């Protein structure tokens, strides 16, 4: 039996397209307007809008297309990971064996990641010795840090082998940290101003 | 390979089954200690949390009554207070320093120990496994440890009453420098140290509990219990647990830095030029506002950690006793999620007047006011659930209704306070006290009360006394409103909070009568709690025996035996076929259809789109 | 009422979220470990963000290149920023690598190989901790000054003037000196501020890149003499930092200490589990998931180090 969706009056295509176009445009406009305002830390504002408008965009577009906001479905996968109370050990054995059967020896992969981590670290040290500007360096360092983090979590911690939803479960909260650091930087810039002048 | 895997896994399978059966038999003859004290059973742990929380609530309430005695009758000599507090209240008058200790410990105990540890600990433990249909928490051991850490942290917090200089006294937000300089005030010494130790234990406890709750909800739901079939209780517990796991660690890092400032001479939160006892301190370069950021990054999610579980339980209880499906189930879930999300990006609304970058004020006004949207969604959904329903006024239902009332009254003022410009006048006045007591303190307490009255039969297999319950409700809500509503006027007149006495100026001493009025009602409200405590313990032993499903509710916990068993269901765990809110469904002869009844048995009431 | 629906009843559409299924296809033990790690990550980020916030509000924050430039046995004049910490990072990466092999061997229930690689990991962790111990003691024991006339390299921050105190904070390769137009005052080399008067013992001359302090006569106040004595050393502690803002060293010791504590507890866990593996404790369970969970923790320690490395050593 198929799930019966409530009968919708279809929303005209032009309404949908106007709305979907409006939101990214609005985002950009707001970001540029606020960035060009005087004495306003642009990063915070940009973070704010991205923070709020991307979820808003998601919600509005899902609603417009008559879909549910969140669908917790993930079909096409055999439910070998069925949960029966008290059989955790059997399940773990099964999934490890399943893993071993379907993947060849991962050691090669580990060696590769090992070299990547090493080389990226060396590159970072190289950058530190270079005469790039502070700002450029900071951006590069953050970039390479995230690269390393992704390799460690992805391969060494086997996060890449987990389901997409689990990965998102762990990654999404990190956005709160991004917001946090934007706020703290805005704050400390203000404080620096007080210290200096 | 294939075959060997098979045999291996079957071997292991039968092995674990053996263990399970063995465990079952083992549990029948247990000593009192292993059954009630070091139990690993989630229901027992829930009860342990509840008993501890009741004790802490009594302590917290007594502290508030002591404060009210001082505020209502400033300068009056109460000989029993003198006897109780000894040198902290010589001649029966509480000392100003000790008043701050009372404020601090009252706030801390109420917020963290009663409404976070107690409320979450009790109901998450009791209800998550029962309502999602599983035999216990993911890790019963961690769960028990979580309780014992909570217990230890409560003991440490209470022990601070017995140190020479008195407990911590910098407010429950422990802002530096009062918290960072041991020599700043009497309470900044050992009392503050104990506060920090206690909170560290508390955070460890919360973390162990939190990861357990989350993993249990994700992994261990029974067959058919899809996310969209979870009761709103479980939804709210789930999101709350996530909030806790993400926000407490940031407080933890702040607390560690505070410990370093206190004990090792660093200056993370201490600026240049502090003078204590005419001595210029060596500290320099730190920022007290940084502490406020770190604290409120936890602090604001914390108020929702307190409130969301109450919201979830109230939604459930309203629906059961209105005999109507909850209105807008999915909207309710999205609102919980939205509140959870927003609660992480609004914290600086507590800092509008702290001297932080004023530009941030405007950012945080915006995000703060956004919270009004999901809150309004929830409120209107509760109201529409009640609309044209046949309400059954059980004590639990009365408390749920009281919750909605308090949430609206207290929530409205949040919109005023969320505006940075209005907050210039209202910040740190009694207006704030009124706001957060109504929306967070009283409302969450009402959620707690509602939960206790509603799930008491599940906890103790006995019914509580309804008449006493109703008396308790009416006395409590009337005294709450009489205590906190007048505070709005005082706040708007500018009366500051955390003041020892208001006798100094005419514009504050004109509230003397009002303060006395408030204090009298606080005493009445406090006395009313005796009804609950008596009812609770009396019913535990002498109450009417409970029936299997006394409220005719749909959720799974009411399918377990009346006398709880280890593993919750003696036989198979029931499978779930429908959402938990099939109340008064047209076509069905009874006005409720429990979640485990398959559609094949309810032909007369099935509708298109049901499954 | 649609009765036909109910009689010809087909099972509802199922998905991994519909209950009775592990939606992430992951055991709860591992899942709890992951959530713990997420939470702990937030703790570390609390520290690192506090570092960033304090750093970007202070003009006199030291440049890590001046601070971390030594290497064991290379003497005080050795100047190779990042060399030592790069080595430490390398060691941690190696130990992460051996750990991942141990986990893989555990999956194959090859207990000998598991133990072997866990021991290698433990060794790596121990070496890392020793390195950290060296770095701490190096910083605490501090640097030696050898010239009576100090040549100073003016930092980009060198000219920053405070409004209320018209001093310039000038970074010296080995210390920080507050300079007024006529005097130079060493700030807190050993904890105390040296008096104005003492500062008058020097003349200050500046050009575009250097500031030179020349002692006037031979009657130098004792504190200054001590400072400029041949071989005088001074180091960083939680509260004092010759390289600039003391908060830098406070945070350095706090955060690397906190990380070191994680390494240490990771080592304890690894030792216990290696012991259990060796005694075939996990054989009866049919799997070595404990090794995997310990591995997750160990890699997390590595992951955090990547961030500590960036915040403390790389970002200027
Ligand atoms: C019997 C009911 C209660 C009474 C009579 C009461 C009374 C008070 C009083 C007089 C203050 C001090 C206000 C000031 O001087 O600034 C206070 C503060 C506070 N109360 Fe309550 N309270 C009650 C219940 C609660 C509950 C249920 C909570 C739980 C959230 C709570 C949380 C707080 C907090 C967080 C503070 C602020 C503490 C601080 O400033 O550090 N109270 N309360
Ligand atoms: Cu808030």
């Amino acid at each position: 039996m198929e799930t019966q969706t409530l009968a919708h009056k279809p929303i005209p295509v032009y309404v949908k397209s106007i709305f979907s176009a409006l939101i990214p445009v609005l985002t950009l406009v707001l970001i540029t307007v606020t960035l060009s305002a005087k004495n306003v830390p642009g990063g915070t504002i940009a973070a704010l809008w991205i923070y709020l408008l991307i979820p808003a965009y998601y919600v509005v577009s899902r609603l417009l297309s008559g879909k549910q906001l969140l669908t917790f479905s993930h079909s096409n996968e055999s439910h070998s990971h069925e949960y029966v109370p008290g059989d955790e050990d059997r399940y773990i054995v099964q999934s490890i064996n399943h893993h071993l059967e379907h993947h060849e020896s991962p050691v090669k992969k580990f060696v590769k990641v090992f070299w990547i981590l090493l080389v990226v670290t060396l590159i970072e040290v190289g950058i530190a010795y270079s005469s790039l500007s502070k700002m450029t360096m900071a951006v590069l360092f953050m970039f390479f840090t995230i690269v390393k983090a992704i390799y460690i979590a992805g391969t060494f911690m086997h996060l890449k082998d987990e389901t997409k939803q689990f990965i998102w479960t762990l990654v999404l909260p990190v956005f709160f940290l991004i917001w946090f650091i934007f706020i703290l930087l805005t704050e400390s810039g203000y404080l620096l101003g007080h210290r200096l002048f | 390979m294939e075959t060997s895997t098979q045999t291996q896994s079957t071997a292991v399978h039968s092995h674990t089954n053996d263990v399970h059966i063995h465990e079952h038999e083992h549990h029948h003859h247990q000593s009192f200690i292993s059954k009630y004290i070091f139990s690993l059973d989630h229901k027992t742990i829930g009860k342990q949390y509840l008993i501890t929380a009741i004790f802490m609530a009594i302590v917290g309430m007594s502290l508030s009554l002591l404060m009210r005695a001082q505020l209502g009758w400033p300068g009056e000599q109460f000989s029993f207070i003198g006897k109780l507090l000894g040198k902290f209240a010589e001649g029966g008058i509480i000392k100003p320093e000790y008043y701050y200790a009372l404020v601090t410990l009252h706030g801390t105990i109420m917020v963290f120990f009663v409404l976070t540890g107690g409320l979450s600990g009790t109901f998450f433990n009791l209800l998550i496994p029962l309502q999602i249909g599983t035999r216990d928490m993911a890790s019963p051991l961690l769960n028990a440890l979580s309780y014992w850490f909570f217990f230890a942290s409560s003991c440490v917090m209470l022990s601070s009453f017995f140190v020479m200089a008195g407990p911590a006294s910098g407010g429950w937000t422990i802002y530096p420098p009062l918290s960072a300089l041991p020599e700043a005030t009497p309470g900044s010494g050992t009392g503050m140290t104990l506060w920090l130790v206690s909170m560290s234990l508390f955070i460890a406890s919360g973390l162990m509990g939190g990861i357990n709750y989350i993993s249990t909800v994700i992994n261990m739901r029974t067959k058919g219990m899809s996310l969209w079939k979870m009761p709103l209780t479980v939804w709210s517990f789930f999101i709350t647990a996530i909030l806790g796991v993400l926000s407490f660690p940031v407080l933890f890092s702040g607390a560690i830095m505070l410990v370093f400032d206190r004990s090792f001479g660093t200056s993370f939160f201490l600026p240049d030029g502090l003078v204590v006892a005419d001595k210029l301190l060596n500290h320099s370069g730190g920022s007290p506002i940084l502490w406020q950021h770190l604290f409120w990054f936890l602090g604001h999610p914390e108020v929702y950690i307190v409130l969301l579980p109450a919201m979830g339980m109230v939604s459930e209880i309203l629906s059961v006793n209105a005999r109507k499906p909850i209105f807008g189930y999915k909207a309710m879930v999205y609102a919980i999620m939205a509140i959870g999300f927003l609660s992480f990006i609004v914290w600086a609304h507590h800092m509008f007047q702290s001297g932080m970058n004023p530009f941030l004020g405007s950012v945080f006004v915006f995000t703060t006011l956004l919270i009004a949207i999901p809150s309004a969604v929830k409120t209107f959904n509760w109201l529409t659930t009640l609309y044209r329903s046949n309400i059954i006024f059980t004590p639990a239902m009365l408390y749920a209704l009281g919750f909605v009332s308090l949430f609206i009254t207290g929530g409205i003022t949040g919109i005023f306070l969320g505006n940075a410009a209005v907050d210039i006048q209202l910040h740190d006045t009694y207006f704030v006290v009124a706001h957060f007591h109504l929306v967070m303190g009283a409302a969450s307490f009402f959620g707690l009360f509602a939960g206790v009255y509603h799930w008491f039969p599940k906890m103790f297999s006995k019914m509580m006394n309804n008449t006493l319950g109703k008396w308790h409700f009416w006395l409590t809500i009337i005294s709450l409103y009489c205590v906190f509503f007048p505070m709005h006027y005082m706040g708007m007149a500018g009366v500051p909070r955390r003041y020892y006495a208001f006798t100094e100026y005419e514009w504050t001493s004109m509230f003397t009568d009002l303060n006395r009025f408030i204090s009298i009602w606080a005493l009445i409200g406090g006395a009313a709690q005796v009804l609950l405590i008596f009812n609770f313990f009396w019913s535990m032993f002498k109450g009417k025996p409970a029936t299997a499903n006394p409220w005719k509710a749909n959720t799974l916990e009411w399918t377990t035996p009346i006398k709880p068993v280890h593993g919750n269901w003696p036989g198979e765990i029931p499978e779930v076929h429908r959402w938990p809110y099939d109340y008064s469904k047209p076509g069905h002869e009874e006005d409720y259809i429990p979640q485990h009844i398959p559609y094949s048995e309810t032909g007369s009431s099935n509708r298109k789109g049901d499954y | 009422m649609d009765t036909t629906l109910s009689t010809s009843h087909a099972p509802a559409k199922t998905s991994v979220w519909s209950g009775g299924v592990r939606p992430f296809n992951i055991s709860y033990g591992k899942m709890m470990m992951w959530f713990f790690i997420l939470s702990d990550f937030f703790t570390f980020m609390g520290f690192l963000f506090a570092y960033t916030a304090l750093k970007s509000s202070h003009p006199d924050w030291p440049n890590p290149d001046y601070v971390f430039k030594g290497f064991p046995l290379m003497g005080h004049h050795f100047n190779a920023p990042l060399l030592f910490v790069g080595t430490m990072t390398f060691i941690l990466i190696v130990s992460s690598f051996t750990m991942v092999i141990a986990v893989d061997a555990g999956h194959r229930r090859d207990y000998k190989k598991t133990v072997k690689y866990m021991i290698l990991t433990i060794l790596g962790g121990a070496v890392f901790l020793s390195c950290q111990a060296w770095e701490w003691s190096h910083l605490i024991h501090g640097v030696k000054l050898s010239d009576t006339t100090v040549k100073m390299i003016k930092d980009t921050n060198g000219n920053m003037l405070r409004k209320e105190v018209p001093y310039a904070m000038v970074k010296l390769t080995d210390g920080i000196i507050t300079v007024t137009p006529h005097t130079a005052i060493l700030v807190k080399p050993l904890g105390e501020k040296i008096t104005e008067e003492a500062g008058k013992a020097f003349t200050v001359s500046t050009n575009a890149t250097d500031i030179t302090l020349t002692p006037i006569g031979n009657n130098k106040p004792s504190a200054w003499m001590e400072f400029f004595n041949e071989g005088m050393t001074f180091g960083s502690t939680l509260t004092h930092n010759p390289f600039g803002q003391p908060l830098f060293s406070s945070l350095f010791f706090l955060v690397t200490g906190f990380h070191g504590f994680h390494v240490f507890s990771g080592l304890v866990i690894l030792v216990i589990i290696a012991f259990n593996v060796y005694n075939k404790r996990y054989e009866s369970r049919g799997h070595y998931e404990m090794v995997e969970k310990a591995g997750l923790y160990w890699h997390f320690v590595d992951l955090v180090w990547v961030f500590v490395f960036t915040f403390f050593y790389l970002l200027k």
Side-chain angles (χ1 to χ4, degrees):
Chain A
M1 191 75 239
E2 279 298 279
T3 312
Q4 198 101 18
T5 39
L6 287 175
H8 272 286
K9 214 174 174 188
I11 299 165
V13 178
Y14 69 92
V15 176
K16 282 190 197 177
S17 37
I18 288 175
F19 261 94
S20 335
L22 216 57
I23 288 179
V25 170
L26 209 67
T27 317
L28 280 180
V29 169
L30 285 172
I31 289 176
T32 26
V33 167
T34 36
L35 281 185
S36 56
K38 260 190 193 153
N39 299 331
V40 166
T44 314
I45 285 289
L48 175 69
W49 290 120
I50 290 169
Y51 237 86
L52 294 171
L53 288 183
I54 287 182
Y57 179 58
Y58 177 79
V59 170
V60 172
S61 62
R62 293 290 288 208
L63 287 180
L64 280 180
S65 52
K67 287 185 200 140
Q68 299 202 332
L69 277 188
L70 285 177
T71 40
F72 297 104
S73 69
H74 189 261
S75 40
N76 302 340
E77 196 162 303
S78 66
H79 295 178
S80 59
H81 37 285
E82 198 168 305
Y83 174 75
V84 183
D87 81 338
E88 200 68 8
D89 284 323
R90 187 189 56 84
Y91 162 75
I92 293 170
V93 170
Q94 217 179 45
S95 59
I96 289 176
N97 288 338
H98 180 84
H99 188 84
L100 290 182
E101 270 167 45
H102 291 267
H103 299 257
E104 26 193 292
S105 167
V107 175
K108 251 206 246 145
K109 209 171 57 185
F110 299 149
V111 174
K112 197 183 99 194
V113 170
F114 172 77
W115 286 115
I116 291 176
L117 291 178
L118 199 59
V119 169
V120 171
T121 309
L122 287 179
I123 294 176
E124 283 180 327
V125 173
I127 294 173
Y129 273 94
S130 75
S131 54
L132 293 171
S133 79
K134 258 190 182 178
M135 199 57 211
T136 325
M137 277 198 199
V139 171
L140 287 175
F141 287 147
M142 281 326 293
F143 172 75
F144 283 121
T145 305
I146 289 167
V147 168
K148 284 200 282 186
I150 288 174
Y151 273 108
I152 292 175
T155 309
F156 281 0
M157 297 167 96
H158 300 288
L159 195 55
K160 265 202 292 210
D161 299 340
E162 308 295 356
T163 58
K164 224 164 78 188
Q165 286 154 334
F166 188 61
I167 299 175
W168 278 113
T169 308
L170 295 176
V171 170
L172 280 180
V174 172
F175 284 98
F176 293 132
L177 291 178
I178 297 174
W179 171 257
F180 196 19
I181 191 64
F182 267 117
I183 299 302
L184 285 182
L185 282 176
T186 312
E187 175 78 355
S188 53
Y190 175 74
L191 209 59
L192 181 68
H194 271 280
R195 286 226 160 85
L196 290 178
F197 306 109
Chain B
M1 188 68 201
E2 184 74 78
T3 44
S4 76
T5 316
Q6 285 305 88
T7 44
Q8 215 174 56
S9 47
T10 40
V12 172
H13 187 40
S14 56
H15 177 80
T16 45
N17 263 1
D18 285 349
V19 170
H20 200 79
I21 291 162
H22 183 74
E23 233 173 37
H24 256 277
E25 276 163 7
H26 191 73
H27 265 277
H28 285 299
H29 3 260
Q30 275 182 324
S31 65
F32 178 83
I33 300 251
S34 60
K35 187 157 176 209
Y36 292 110
I37 309 293
F38 294 110
S39 169
L40 298 184
D41 187 289
H42 69 100
K43 300 182 288 299
T44 313
I45 294 174
K47 287 181 229 170
Q48 289 172 331
Y49 266 112
L50 183 58
I51 303 287
T52 318
I54 288 177
F55 182 75
M56 293 305 270
I58 294 172
V59 175
M61 195 179 71
S62 315
L63 302 183
S64 74
L65 294 181
L66 287 174
M67 286 188 282
R68 276 325 316 181
Q70 160 61 27
L71 293 178
W73 294 272
E76 182 93 18
Q77 302 188 336
F78 294 103
S79 62
F80 77 94
I81 292 184
K83 281 188 196 119
L84 183 70
L85 300 179
K87 74 175 164 71
F88 295 121
E90 262 157 22
I93 303 175
I94 298 173
K95 290 209 169 129
E97 293 83 11
Y98 201 70
Y99 180 84
Y100 298 131
L102 291 176
V103 172
T104 306
L105 270 260
H106 163 73
T108 308
I109 288 179
M110 286 300 195
V111 172
F112 290 113
F113 289 86
V114 182
L115 293 177
T116 305
L119 178 65
S120 317
T122 307
F123 291 102
F124 289 21
N125 271 306
L126 179 74
L127 292 181
I128 288 180
L130 285 174
Q131 290 198 332
I132 66 172
T134 184
R135 302 214 182 269
D136 208 317
M137 283 289 172
S139 168
L141 179 67
L142 268 192
N143 206 23
L145 267 180
S146 155
Y147 171 72
W148 285 107
F149 269 74
F150 173 67
F151 182 79
S153 104
S154 313
C155 290
V156 175
M157 190 59 80
L158 291 180
S159 73
S160 69
F161 281 110
F162 302 103
V163 299
M164 287 301 283
S169 51
W172 77 284
T173 52
I174 55 161
Y175 282 178
L178 287 188
S179 57
L181 294 173
E183 62 273 33
T185 65
S188 305
T190 322
M192 193 62 229
T193 306
L194 288 173
W195 195 99
L196 286 166
V197 171
S198 167
M199 276 320 287
S200 306
L201 292 170
F202 185 88
I203 293 169
S205 151
L207 180 61
M208 286 188 274
I211 58 179
N212 226 331
Y213 304 138
I214 299 175
S215 309
T216 308
V217 172
I218 290 178
N219 244 21
M220 300 171 68
R221 283 165 287 119
T222 181
K223 263 208 177 64
M225 180 60 87
S226 68
L227 292 188
W228 287 135
K229 292 201 180 74
M230 291 201 308
L232 286 172
T233 34
V234 178
W235 263 114
S236 67
F237 297 169
F238 180 50
I239 304 288
T240 306
I242 296 174
L243 295 192
V245 164
L246 297 181
S247 62
F248 270 107
V250 177
L251 175 68
F252 187 60
S253 38
I256 290 186
M257 290 164 77
L258 202 52
V259 168
F260 271 67
D261 274 5
R262 294 169 55 74
S263 310
F264 305 113
T266 56
S267 337
F268 299 124
F269 305 128
L270 291 167
D272 312 64
L274 284 174
V275 177
V276 172
D278 291 335
K279 236 182 57 207
L280 181 67
L281 298 182
N282 251 336
H283 293 283
S284 92
S287 156
I289 294 183
L290 177 63
W291 164 263
Q292 300 192 13
H293 278 295
L294 292 174
F295 179 86
W296 286 110
F297 187 86
L298 155 92
H300 190 82
E302 168 63 24
V303 311
Y304 284 101
I305 290 171
V306 164
L307 196 61
L308 278 177
M311 286 178 160
M313 293 195 288
V314 162
S315 307
E316 172 73 21
I317 292 166
L318 278 181
S319 175
V320 171
N321 290 297
R323 312 308 295 163
K324 258 182 78 182
I326 191 84
F327 187 91
Y329 168 78
K330 282 195 179 173
M332 290 300 247
V333 174
Y334 290 135
I336 294 174
M337 290 181 182
I339 289 176
F341 172 79
L342 288 172
S343 70
F344 275 101
I345 59 172
V346 300
W347 72 86
H349 61 215
H350 297 274
M351 303 164 55
F352 287 146
Q353 309 305 318
S354 69
M356 74 168 177
N357 185 345
F359 162 70
L360 286 183
S362 57
V363 173
F364 278 94
V365 167
F366 179 51
T367 53
T368 300
L369 295 186
L370 282 179
I371 296 198
I373 300 170
S375 306
V377 167
K378 294 200 81 82
T379 310
F380 285 116
N381 282 355
W382 287 321
L383 297 180
T384 31
T385 304
L386 294 172
Y387 180 63
R388 308 191 63 177
S389 62
N390 293 320
I391 300 179
I392 302 169
F393 289 102
T394 61
M397 182 61 169
L398 287 174
Y399 273 106
L401 294 169
F403 173 94
V404 178
S405 157
L406 289 167
F407 183 67
I408 296 172
T409 321
I412 293 278
T413 52
I415 299 179
F416 303 9
L417 292 166
N419 288 284
V422 183
D423 196 46
I424 296 173
Q425 162 74 3
L426 296 178
H427 180 69
D428 260 354
T429 64
Y430 263 81
F431 195 86
V432 178
V433 178
H435 157 71
F436 74 75
H437 273 97
L438 287 175
V439 76
M440 166 168 111
S444 307
F445 248 95
F446 270 40
L448 179 68
F449 289 150
V452 169
Y453 280 107
H454 194 76
W455 279 288
F456 191 86
K458 205 66 262 161
M459 283 190 261
F460 299 104
S461 319
K462 296 275 168 60
M463 305 296 287
M464 283 176 92
N465 184 307
N466 268 1
T467 320
L468 278 181
K470 284 178 186 172
W471 273 98
H472 174 228
F473 168 76
W474 284 111
L475 283 173
T476 307
I477 192 160
I478 291 171
S479 47
L480 269 178
Y481 267 117
C482 288
V483 166
F484 294 117
F485 208 80
M487 289 186 187
H488 290 110
Y489 299 109
M490 292 167 62
M492 282 187 279
V495 178
R497 76 190 260 220
R498 292 183 184 168
Y499 269 37
Y500 167 65
F502 297 105
T503 45
E504 220 38 34
Y505 305 102
E506 206 198 320
W507 64 273
T508 52
S509 61
M510 75 190 220
F511 288 110
T512 307
D513 288 343
L514 188 57
N515 262 323
R516 191 157 301 165
F517 172 85
I518 291 175
S519 289
I520 290 169
W521 275 107
L523 280 171
I524 297 174
Q529 303 317 307
V530 176
L531 291 180
L532 172 69
I533 294 173
F534 172 75
N535 197 350
F536 186 87
F537 287 104
W538 184 81
S539 307
M540 224 156 105
F541 300 105
K542 294 269 164 63
K544 264 197 314 196
T547 52
N549 189 353
W551 320 118
K552 297 198 168 56
N554 285 342
T555 37
L556 279 188
E557 73 269 28
W558 305 108
T559 63
T560 59
I562 299 173
K563 281 258 174 281
V565 293
H566 187 65
N568 296 340
W569 286 270
E572 287 273 293
I573 297 176
E575 195 176 324
V576 163
H577 298 279
R578 57 179 76 236
W579 75 328
Y581 298 106
D582 264 346
Y583 292 108
S584 304
K585 201 173 182 191
H588 197 70
E589 64 270 30
E590 279 192 276
D591 70 348
Y592 71 111
I593 315 177
Q595 281 193 280
H596 66 284
I597 306 291
Y599 282 103
S600 54
E601 288 175 23
T602 56
S604 57
S605 69
N606 291 354
R607 287 177 309 162
K608 270 189 181 164
D610 264 351
Y611 41 83
Chain C
M1 224 81 344
D2 197 339
T3 36
T4 48
L5 268 179
S6 53
T7 43
S8 62
H9 169 76
K13 208 166 75 176
T14 62
S15 81
V16 286
W17 288 101
S18 50
V21 179
R22 297 175 176 81
F24 297 139
N25 194 6
I26 185 173
S27 72
Y28 58 70
K30 240 162 77 181
M31 186 147 59
M32 284 165 76
M33 194 66 196
W34 267 111
F35 291 145
F36 166 73
I37 286 173
L38 182 65
S39 183
D40 213 17
F41 187 66
F42 271 58
T43 311
F44 270 105
M45 282 307 173
F47 285 131
L48 293 179
F49 287 179
Y51 174 84
T52 313
L54 288 170
K55 169 179 156 183
S56 51
S57 65
H58 281 285
D60 57 342
W61 205 258
N63 182 339
D65 283 356
Y66 295 148
V67 186
F68 310 107
K69 60 192 172 61
F71 204 86
L73 309 177
M74 298 305 284
H76 279 293
H77 293 285
F78 190 73
N79 185 356
L82 292 174
L83 185 61
F84 185 62
V85 67
T87 317
M88 282 167 71
T89 310
F90 171 73
I91 292 164
L92 210 54
I93 294 175
V94 170
S95 83
S96 239
F97 174 72
T98 51
M99 189 67 220
V100 88
I101 306 272
V103 171
D104 189 54
H107 280 173
R108 290 160 208 282
R109 297 173 65 184
D110 180 345
Y111 87 101
K112 277 203 183 123
K113 193 174 171 193
T114 312
V115 172
K116 191 173 121 200
Y117 276 93
M118 284 182 83
I119 289 175
L120 286 178
T121 311
I122 292 166
L123 280 180
V127 174
F128 178 85
L129 274 188
S130 329
C131 289
Q132 211 164 40
W134 180 83
E135 187 167 46
W136 275 37
S137 72
H138 180 70
L139 267 182
I140 292 167
H141 289 128
V143 285
K144 272 199 181 110
L145 289 179
S146 49
D147 301 317
T148 38
T149 310
V150 185
K151 231 181 159 208
M152 288 179 295
I153 302 157
K154 198 154 64 167
D155 195 85
T156 38
N157 294 331
N159 292 330
M160 284 181 167
L161 292 174
R162 291 195 186 194
K163 196 173 161 197
E164 69 276 34
V165 192
Y167 292 169
M169 309 280 261
V170 180
K171 275 186 197 95
L172 195 60
T173 21
D174 293 317
I176 176 162
I177 285 191
T178 310
V179 181
T180 69
H182 304 294
T183 61
I185 296 176
L186 180 69
V187 178
K188 294 184 177 173
L190 300 163
E192 284 118 78
K193 255 190 185 126
I194 292 162
T195 55
E196 282 279 330
E197 207 181 315
K200 297 220 175 82
F202 288 82
T203 56
V204 184
S205 57
T206 49
N207 60 34
T209 52
D210 296 344
I211 298 176
T212 313
L213 305 181
T214 321
I216 306 169
N218 286 326
N219 280 340
K220 282 174 277 177
S222 58
W224 283 98
M225 271 170 38
E226 235 191 300
F227 170 43
F228 288 105
N229 262 349
E230 183 79 26
M232 165 71 199
T233 62
F234 57 97
S236 325
T237 65
L238 265 179
T239 46
H240 302 301
N241 179 11
F243 301 101
Q245 184 39 251
L247 283 171
F248 172 80
S249 63
S250 315
L251 277 155
F252 174 79
F253 287 116
L254 172 65
V255 177
T256 54
F258 197 64
H259 177 263
F261 176 70
H262 274 71
V263 178
F264 177 73
S265 51
L267 282 182
V268 172
I269 292 171
L270 284 181
V271 168
I272 293 171
I273 288 177
F275 199 72
N276 284 347
V277 173
Y278 182 74
N279 286 331
K280 300 199 168 187
R281 287 274 163 76
Y282 302 124
E283 272 302 313
S284 61
R285 295 185 190 174
H287 59 79
Y288 287 22
E289 208 199 29
M290 274 320 266
V291 179
E292 195 177 345
K293 282 187 267 189
L296 280 179
Y297 184 72
W298 190 256
H299 296 310
F300 168 66
V301 170
D302 190 14
L303 185 79
V304 168
W305 179 254
V306 165
F307 284 88
V308 174
F309 179 61
T310 306
F311 278 77
F312 276 90
Y313 296 90
L314 291 178
L315 291 173
K316 310 226 163 86

